[in-house]
Amino acid sequence: MPNEPKQKVHQGQFVRAVSRQGATLRLTIDGEMVEAVEGDSLLAVLLLNGRAVRHLEFGGAPRAGFCLMGACQDCWIALGDGERVRACTTPAAHGMVIWTDLQKAQAHA
Amino acid sequence: MRNVVIVGGGPAGIRAASVLVGAGLKPILVNETRQAGGQGYRAPAKSLALDIKSLMGSEAGKYQRLHSLFASLQEQIDYRPGTLVWGVHDKVLHTSCDGVAGTIPYDALILATGATDRTMPLPGWTLPGVFTLGGAQVILKDQGCLIGSRIVFLGSSPLLFLAALQYHKSGASIAAVVDTTPLSAKRAALRDLAASPRTLARGVMYRAALHMAGIAVIDGATPRGIDGKTHVEGVRITDGRGRERRISCNAVAYGYGLKPETQLAELAGARFQFDPDFRLWLPEMDADGRAGDNLYLAGDGSRIGGADAAEASGALAAHALLADMGLPHPASELEPLRREVERLRRFQRGLAKAFAWPVAQAAALPDETIACRCEAVTVGEIRAALHAPLGPREVNRVKAITRCGMGRCQGRFCGPALQEIVAEACGTPIADAGRLRMQAPVKPIPLHAAAEMEP
Ligand SMILES: Cc1cc2nc3c(=O)[nH]c(=O)nc-3n(C[C@H](O)[C@H](O)[C@H](O)COP(=O)(O)OP(=O)(O)OC[C@H]3O[C@@H](n4cnc5c(N)ncnc54)[C@H](O)[C@@H]3O)c2cc1C
Ligand code: FES
């Protein structure tokens, strides 16, 4: 169940250096609600709020993307509807459900 | 009506489009990113309160000019943003836009696909918090985010100092800039670097600015590994004087310069030749960018040259295309453009020598280091395959056996290192290790899009 929205600022990998104007979006990451601003990429949302964007199929090591420009494919994540997308080039949208762990995603599908 | 298609909306593609429009054509410009401008001149989203003037520094004027040129072209070209070209077959481009597949037949094709970071495996480089150097710049311009709150800039690249400075201006705390090139290598390359005194001066200026800001710059270092359990906690290096050091940080921007995105060129029929200065296989082409039947290459996607060379080579490719179509083109403009491209690429050759690709680091990598990020293949697995009885001595065979280079990134990030590991383990010259062959799709696409590929 999604909890209250929270911004786990201190636990995030990324730091927002430049403010962004835009509508507030609410998404869930691994079942927890977070806030984002229109225009944020899924990768930015994930890494402003945590440190991983996915867990490797081989052994489950955390990964957080690498090239940040759509070339390395290290940032694939699962959405609530089972679709898989590249986080760094996918814009965040209101109500999106994101899983960093494919198994958890499948368990909730 | 002949279909002229340009792939890539950076300086090379935009200039090519403007020359074609000037000759009365209406080219199709396909661009994977939504915003035109390419990587270096990436436009920030409107909603970001980013001070692009301050970020671009001395290049702000050129940035503005390119974006106004593009704005003036919009009505006269068929611009297709957010569209990935993932395959080329029989003079047809295969595309994917928001997951929807499409095709674009062409009579002539200009590829201006730009570059990506050139990286070398390092123990710990798959930990969350390690990003490419180019990626660190992209996320700042594109999302207004810093890759961490205390950052080490590590590697060898002219962009190392620039990126560190941009981060400093944006309020990041920089733990250190660790340059793996010894100063002596840079001095030795000065003759080639003098081919572009302005760029050389900029490089020197960036470094001076870092010093002024009190940011530590460590020269001639050897990286040993990135520490951390679930994310980056520090970087271990041996500095230029042989001292072991550990620098605490929570993010690393890592890179050894850029390498061309040549996948589409290969699928479109370009041939490749080994370049000993860059230690990379690069597409063969003439001075104007002709690389095959109705195939033209421009910008960093063919040879790393920087944004100015990208623009000039984009214009050259377009002129070559016009000439080959029998359309009028101003022959007198070509000579200065060729000289410009030649000069800037010579400068980049100097850079390639000055900012050394760490060949020795590849040889010294511990066996447990992950070489292939996608498939989690270790350096040890590659070496074991090579040392097996009748083991392969060529990268494509190694790929088939170990899966290194077979993952979703198609060998973009492990390929150059794989060549070095194979050459070293087999004791053969690097050129004999071969070149990873490319296959469509050049980037992953939804399965239903691939169905388009079948006739
Ligand atoms: C990550 C990165 C950061 C950089 N930062 C700087 C910087 O801060 N300052 C600086 O001076 N230089 C920088 N450079 C170098 C500079 O960007 C280049 O010299 C210059 O942009 C080259 O122009 P180009 O037109 O050849 O390619 P690019 O500007 O890279 O443009 C290539 C375009 O092609 C598109 N494309 C690629 N493949 C496909 C495909 N398959 N289908 C559809 N479209 C495709 C890309 O989306 C991109 O828009 C950077 C380079 C990179 C890679
Ligand atoms: S981080 Fe490389 S593709 Fe997204």
Side-chain angles (χ1 to χ4, degrees):
Chain A
M1 272 289 105
N3 303 322
E4 283 297 289
K6 58 175 165 186
Q7 195 86 334
K8 297 178 284 181
V9 179
H10 56 286
Q11 285 178 26
Q13 177 65 48
F14 282 179
V15 176
R16 211 192 269 285
V18 182
S19 66
R20 193 193 267 289
Q21 308 293 312
T24 302
L25 313 172
R26 288 185 171 187
L27 308 79
T28 68
I29 301 174
D30 295 337
E32 280 192 28
M33 192 175 284
V34 298
E35 287 188 349
V37 186
E38 195 174 4
D40 284 348
S41 69
L42 284 184
L43 186 99
V45 178
L46 281 155
L47 293 184
L48 283 164
N49 288 283
R51 291 204 186 259
V53 305
R54 73 177 179 125
H55 290 83
L56 207 61
E57 304 88 309
F58 319 101
R63 288 287 178 87
F66 185 52
C67 73
L68 309 181
M69 53 175 282
C72 74
Q73 319 301 331
D74 195 62
C75 66
W76 283 73
I77 52 159
L79 299 181
D81 59 6
E83 196 191 345
R84 285 209 262 171
V85 297
R86 207 164 54 192
C88 68
T89 55
T90 307
H94 195 67
M96 264 183 170
V97 175
I98 308 172
W99 296 98
T100 68
D101 191 317
L102 208 57
Q103 274 162 6
K104 277 194 209 157
Q106 279 155 359
H108 282 80
Chain B
M1 185 63 206
R2 286 171 291 190
N3 241 5
V4 177
V5 183
I6 303 167
V7 181
I14 292 174
R15 263 299 285 280
S18 91
V19 168
L20 296 178
V21 163
L25 299 183
K26 183 170 184 174
I28 301 173
L29 178 58
V30 194
N31 193 24
E32 186 182 2
T33 49
R34 270 162 236 272
Q35 305 257 43
Q39 302 303 353
Y41 294 155
R42 182 177 281 257
K46 297 217 165 43
S47 61
L48 270 186
L50 195 66
D51 183 355
I52 198 78
K53 256 210 167 112
S54 143
L55 205 59
M56 295 302 295
S58 62
E59 306 306 288
K62 287 192 207 162
Y63 170 94
Q64 283 300 351
R65 270 201 300 286
L66 185 78
H67 283 281
S68 18
L69 174 62
F70 179 75
S72 74
L73 289 175
Q74 279 242 13
E75 302 287 299
Q76 294 146 285
I77 62 175
D78 177 352
Y79 182 50
R80 308 206 184 160
T83 306
L84 166 74
V85 178
W86 57 264
V88 188
H89 192 66
D90 256 352
K91 295 185 93 177
V92 175
L93 300 179
H94 293 265
T95 61
S96 165
C97 177
D98 294 325
V100 180
T103 53
I104 308 174
Y106 65 85
D107 299 299
L109 176 66
I110 298 179
L111 294 175
T113 45
T116 48
D117 285 78
R118 191 178 187 193
T119 57
M120 175 65 85
L122 184 66
W125 74 313
T126 55
L127 278 172
V130 185
F131 300 102
T132 62
L133 184 61
Q137 286 179 299
V138 163
I139 205 73
L140 178 56
K141 285 184 200 158
D142 198 69
Q143 295 288 316
C145 290
L146 307 173
I147 59 168
S149 57
R150 190 161 171 74
I151 306 159
V152 168
F153 286 79
L154 170 65
S156 179
S157 154
L159 292 179
L160 196 65
F161 298 134
L162 171 64
L165 209 54
Q166 288 173 334
Y167 261 62
H168 172 67
K169 280 189 201 168
S170 308
S173 152
I174 297 173
V177 179
V178 182
D179 189 340
T180 61
T181 308
L183 275 176
S184 58
K186 287 187 193 153
R187 277 193 214 106
L190 268 181
R191 211 171 57 95
D192 284 334
L193 293 180
S196 185
R198 187 173 165 272
T199 318
L200 183 59
R202 261 201 293 148
V204 174
M205 235 168 51
Y206 295 151
R207 194 180 165 117
L210 288 172
H211 269 295
M212 301 266 282
I215 294 165
V217 178
I218 302 169
D219 285 301
T222 308
R224 298 294 173 195
I226 296 164
D227 289 342
K229 266 191 136 64
T230 56
H231 58 268
V232 171
E233 290 167 24
V235 173
R236 271 178 297 111
I237 61 164
T238 308
D239 72 14
R241 293 192 213 141
R243 282 179 307 192
E244 302 290 319
R245 294 170 63 167
R246 184 179 185 281
I247 307 162
S248 293
C249 61
N250 58 22
V252 182
Y254 182 49
Y256 293 94
L258 301 173
K259 84 183 209 316
E261 280 283 286
T262 55
Q263 298 83 2
L264 291 181
E266 180 174 348
L267 296 180
R271 302 194 328 171
F272 284 71
Q273 200 169 33
F274 187 75
D275 184 306
D277 288 340
F278 289 105
R279 284 174 88 89
L280 287 174
W281 291 82
L282 297 175
E284 291 176 17
M285 56 183 189
D286 76 1
D288 296 348
R290 288 183 184 85
D293 248 4
N294 303 298
L295 174 65
Y296 307 85
L297 308 180
D300 277 1
S302 55
R303 295 282 182 285
I304 300 300
D308 294 348
E311 277 204 43
S313 66
L316 274 178
H319 283 308
L321 185 155
L322 293 173
D324 295 349
M325 278 192 159
L327 293 169
H329 65 285
S332 62
E333 275 177 30
L334 300 189
E335 225 14 79
L337 282 171
R338 284 183 194 131
R339 273 201 302 276
E340 163 97 340
V341 170
E342 214 282 313
R343 180 178 67 83
L344 291 168
R345 286 190 178 150
R346 184 147 48 86
F347 177 73
Q348 291 289 336
R349 231 167 243 292
L351 287 182
K353 289 184 224 163
F355 294 90
W357 165 242
V359 176
Q361 185 180 324
L365 283 172
D367 275 348
E368 2 15 296
T369 316
I370 287 180
C372 171
R373 301 175 60 92
C374 302
E375 301 282 318
V377 180
T378 64
V379 174
E381 287 172 77
I382 296 167
R383 288 182 184 143
L386 292 165
H387 289 137
L390 298 176
R393 309 175 72 78
E394 192 270 341
V395 287
N396 292 290
R397 293 283 321 286
V398 177
K399 169 176 163 180
I401 295 169
T402 63
R403 301 189 59 80
C404 180
M406 207 182 275
R408 287 192 281 218
C409 89
Q410 288 269 349
R412 275 182 184 77
F413 291 90
C414 62
L418 178 63
Q419 286 174 9
E420 302 291 347
I421 295 166
V422 171
E424 196 267 336
C426 298
T428 52
I430 174 87
D432 294 352
R435 176 179 70 87
L436 278 182
R437 278 187 299 271
M438 191 41 53
Q439 278 158 12
V442 303
K443 290 185 186 179
I445 42 161
L447 268 183
H448 56 85
E452 280 288 307
M453 191 75 182
E454 305 305 325

